[in-house]
Amino acid sequence: MDEPRGAATRAARLVETGVALLCRLGALLGALTGLICFVLVCASVGWRYFLGQPQPWIDHVAAWLVVALVMFAAGETQRREEHIGVEVLTARLAPSGRRASRLFGSAAVAVTAAILLWEGLSTVAFSRMIGIATNVEGVPIWWVQTLIPIGAGLLLAAALAQIIVLACGIEPRGPESKAHHGVPGGRVE
């Protein structure tokens, strides 16, 4: 199906492309943090069970890396429309109903991400103000808490891009690997 042409459509696709690049970068950082977490846990096991020298700091850092992985990947997950959905219900809707449900879902995600962004920024500011530190020497807690507004910002950007595209009457682009198989909007039903 051909897309409607016009300045609004081009602008929506431009926003969508920019947000997709940011979300992919977030996913890359998430994958990297997952890999680092795996390496650290393996090293921890080695130190603890083979060398008899447990390294408790690794447990804390590994937990932070799991938070980083989730927050960095949230935007890309939204962009790909891979969050949990009730497709048993939405698949039975007419095309206009499916579009409305996708628009409502993206709006709900945007509101949630905006709240998470606002509260995350407030938490970081408060932690910086009172100087809370982690259990790891020299690491302030706000460094770790900064992951929350970063991830919320990525999630908000992805949801807003979907809202903009859907409001222009076009389908959001999903993952490129699916889009190349001729499925409109990159969705496999």
Side-chain angles (χ1 to χ4, degrees):
M1 182 171 146
D2 291 331
E3 285 187 6
R5 296 286 178 220
T9 300
R10 286 191 299 277
R13 286 295 187 208
L14 186 61
V15 167
E16 183 182 41
T17 300
V19 168
L21 290 172
L22 284 174
C23 289
R24 284 189 203 122
L25 177 61
L28 178 65
L29 290 172
L32 183 60
T33 59
L35 181 61
I36 293 168
C37 184
F38 173 74
V39 169
L40 283 175
V41 169
C42 289
S44 177
V45 168
W47 270 319
R48 181 180 303 270
Y49 296 109
F50 298 118
L51 301 176
Q53 299 175 355
Q55 302 294 316
W57 65 270
I58 292 179
D59 296 336
H60 298 291
V61 173
W64 302 338
L65 290 173
V66 170
V67 172
L69 188 157
V70 170
M71 296 312 296
F72 286 144
E76 179 67 0
T77 303
Q78 175 66 26
R79 186 188 77 79
R80 290 173 167 256
E81 298 182 4
E82 292 178 346
H83 284 294
I84 296 171
V86 187
E87 291 184 9
V88 171
L89 298 176
T90 58
R92 298 177 193 273
L93 295 173
S96 62
R98 269 195 298 272
R99 178 178 296 284
S101 72
R102 289 171 71 195
L103 192 56
F104 176 78
S106 294
V109 170
V111 168
T112 302
I115 292 168
L116 189 58
L117 176 62
W118 178 262
E119 292 301 324
L121 290 171
S122 298
T123 300
V124 168
F126 179 75
S127 295
R128 283 188 74 186
M129 181 181 71
I130 63 173
I132 300 174
T134 65
N135 293 338
V136 176
E137 183 76 28
V139 178
I141 194 74
W142 70 268
W143 289 2
V144 179
Q145 292 170 338
T146 300
L147 296 166
I148 294 169
I150 290 171
L154 288 170
L155 184 59
L156 179 60
L160 289 175
Q162 288 173 335
I163 290 168
I164 291 167
V165 168
L166 287 166
C168 286
I170 54 179
E171 288 294 312
R173 291 184 178 142
E176 287 67 27
S177 60
K178 290 180 183 177
H180 290 302
H181 294 3
V183 179
R187 300 269 312 171
V188 176
E189 301 292 329

